[in-house]
Amino acid sequence: MNQMTFYTNPESRSVVVEWLLAELEIDCTRVTLDYGTSMKAPEYLAINPFGKVPALVDGDLVIYETAAICAYLADKYSDKGLAPALDDPKRGLYYRWLFLAAGPWEAANVDRLLKVAIAPEQEMFVGYGNYNTLYQAVIKGLTEAQPYLCGAQFTAADVYVGAGILWELKMGTLQPHPEILRYVENLRLRPSLQTIAATFS
């Protein structure tokens, strides 16, 4: 019996995990929480002290970072092929994309949204340096990614990174580039994306 419980809200990063669940063709118990109320309730704060979603409970295990949930599910259901094998050299590439998106890329986007300006002399303290450096690194990475981030294999990294790109394009916060648009077109061919397509259109 599947013991996983997924705490979610349709207007949150939970949609990333929903895409992955669709790709994995698995289901779990869903608990929808509301901002400012049930997300901040003591019983949920005991699960995720940040009072945010998504969070996944699998037996006694609690995971509450979106990228971590994606990586965990890809490994738990390794037979679905959504992560390179541990002895596959592309495993490192897979990790690189996941950590880039969850770390420097996320930070850079939040800084831009909050209008935080990074002065040149401050760049050494910032993981992404400056936004242009990050953007060029992403373009270079996507140029090398054909058709997906790990080559022919579609992975959980494509779900996590791809969802971020699709959302930024929708919001107009990411400058379109031919490599970005090529990558996105490949993602849109995934039947699983149709389950949440409205979120990114």
Side-chain angles (χ1 to χ4, degrees):
M1 182 176 179
N2 195 330
Q3 299 180 27
M4 291 196 303
T5 301
F6 177 46
Y7 294 87
T8 181
N9 181 289
E11 298 180 1
S12 74
R13 289 177 174 84
S14 299
V15 70
V16 181
V17 180
E18 291 286 7
W19 181 6
L20 183 62
L21 290 170
E23 187 73 36
L24 290 168
E25 298 181 309
I26 60 172
D27 200 3
C28 57
T29 301
R30 286 170 173 77
V31 178
T32 300
L33 302 178
D34 295 320
Y35 288 101
T37 55
S38 49
M39 279 190 208
K40 303 301 182 183
E43 54 267 32
Y44 184 64
L45 290 175
I47 294 171
N48 183 352
F50 293 103
K52 293 177 177 287
V53 292
L56 183 75
V57 177
D58 188 4
D60 295 328
L61 179 65
V62 176
I63 310 172
Y64 52 73
E65 289 297 323
T66 308
I69 294 172
C70 289
Y72 174 77
L73 289 174
D75 285 343
K76 180 179 176 71
Y77 298 95
S78 58
D79 59 305
K80 301 288 187 176
L82 289 185
L86 291 176
D87 60 351
D88 186 333
K90 286 190 170 58
R91 184 78 176 196
L93 185 59
Y94 170 76
Y95 283 141
R96 190 187 81 185
W97 279 108
L98 278 176
F99 286 107
L100 172 72
W105 197 339
E106 171 84 3
N109 286 321
V110 171
D111 282 349
R112 292 185 83 206
L113 178 66
L114 299 179
K115 303 187 186 315
V116 174
I118 305 300
E121 64 272 16
Q122 296 174 317
E123 291 179 8
M124 65 180 295
F125 302 107
V126 180
Y128 62 86
N130 63 65
Y131 185 83
N132 185 62
T133 298
L134 172 70
Y135 182 82
Q136 294 304 322
V138 169
I139 297 304
K140 182 178 185 297
L142 290 178
T143 302
E144 298 165 352
Q146 303 282 344
Y148 302 118
L149 299 180
C150 293
Q153 183 181 11
F154 180 86
T155 70
D158 290 292
V159 172
Y160 186 74
V161 174
I165 289 176
L166 287 165
W167 178 253
E168 288 182 55
L169 289 173
K170 175 183 176 179
M171 299 303 293
T173 57
L174 180 65
Q175 179 184 350
H177 183 282
E179 290 299 330
I180 291 175
L181 299 179
R182 175 197 58 78
Y183 176 63
V184 164
E185 285 308 306
N186 289 332
L187 295 180
R188 292 191 186 280
L189 295 175
R190 306 296 300 186
S192 61
L193 183 56
Q194 301 310 309
T195 63
I196 58 166
T199 301
F200 301 116
S201 59

